[in-house]
Amino acid sequence: NRYCDKISSCGDYDKEHCEEDECSVGGICYYDEILRECSDLEEVQCVYETDCHHYCAVKCGGKDNWLECNCNNQKCEAKCDCDKVTSCEGYSSRPACKLDVCGFGDSCVYDECSWIGDSCVCLTPCDLITSCFDYKTEEKCLEDECSIGNCGWTGSRCKELPN
């Protein structure tokens, strides 16, 4: 896409497109409200401890979700409080959801938290199964572990059978 031809790093995005990272530039893009620019979360530079507070809030998924927030050798460091963020749903920003510092995504589909709409969620296999047709094997079709309905295998695919 022509838009992505002009985007090679987080810094090339405007505020509106920053955290979506639709051009997949690598890194974790977030909009720094203080600098008023899109930055890579892992390349944030600091001089004072307060320079990192926004970084820590983004990385840990909320402004009160860190145990420590430090500026060390001009790099921001965050130690997140995973007792406060207890699931993917606890991350309040797209970058925190993508980064998943507390490791909740291991129990989700694709082994990661997913940003959908304006919230972070842990998709389960049943979130992706919305009809009998979504079951790809005879075994899964007949098990119907997502309780779709009267699913039956018809030789090559799963479909809903009449009652």
Side-chain angles (χ1 to χ4, degrees), residues 66-83:
W66 69 79
L67 297 169
E68 293 178 31
C69 184
N70 302 308
C71 180
N72 189 5
N73 294 323
Q74 293 190 321
K75 292 292 285 176
C76 292
E77 296 176 350
K79 182 175 181 186
C80 302
D81 187 349
C82 294
D83 289 335

Side-chain angles (χ1 to χ4, degrees), residues 16-150:
E16 181 182 343
H17 297 96
C18 177
E19 293 183 4
E20 293 172 17
D21 189 19
E22 63 192 271
C23 301
S24 301
V25 297
I28 307 289
C29 298
Y30 86 104
Y31 189 76
D32 188 318
E33 296 289 345
I34 295 165
L35 298 175
R36 296 182 185 211
E37 64 184 28
C38 188
S39 302
D40 184 331
L41 192 63
E42 297 305 320
E43 295 178 9
V44 173
Q45 300 260 323
C46 62
V47 176
Y48 305 105
E49 297 294 323
T50 54
D51 294 343
C52 293
H53 287 186
H54 181 67
Y55 163 88
C56 291
V58 170
K59 184 168 186 169
C60 296
K63 66 179 182 168
D64 299 319
N65 292 346
W66 69 79
L67 297 169
E68 293 178 31
C69 184
N70 302 308
C71 180
N72 189 5
N73 294 323
Q74 293 190 321
K75 292 292 285 176
C76 292
E77 296 176 350
K79 182 175 181 186
C80 302
D81 187 349
C82 294
D83 289 335
K84 285 187 179 175
V85 181
T86 57
S87 67
C88 293
E89 288 75 7
Y91 296 125
S92 62
S93 70
R94 183 187 299 260
C97 183
K98 183 176 180 182
L99 199 56
D100 186 21
V101 293
C102 296
F104 302 118
D106 295 344
S107 62
C108 307
V109 171
Y110 312 122
D111 294 326
E112 63 184 32
C113 298
S114 300
W115 189 263
I116 297 177
D118 61 355
S119 60
C120 189
V121 297
C122 178
L123 292 177
T124 65
C126 290
D127 290 327
L128 303 177
I129 304 291
T130 58
S131 72
C132 293
F133 184 74
D134 293 330
Y135 292 119
K136 300 303 178 200
T137 66
E138 182 176 7
E139 180 184 348
K140 292 292 184 186
C141 175
L142 298 176
E143 282 176 11
D144 189 20
E145 63 187 26
C146 298
S147 302
I148 297 298
N150 191 20

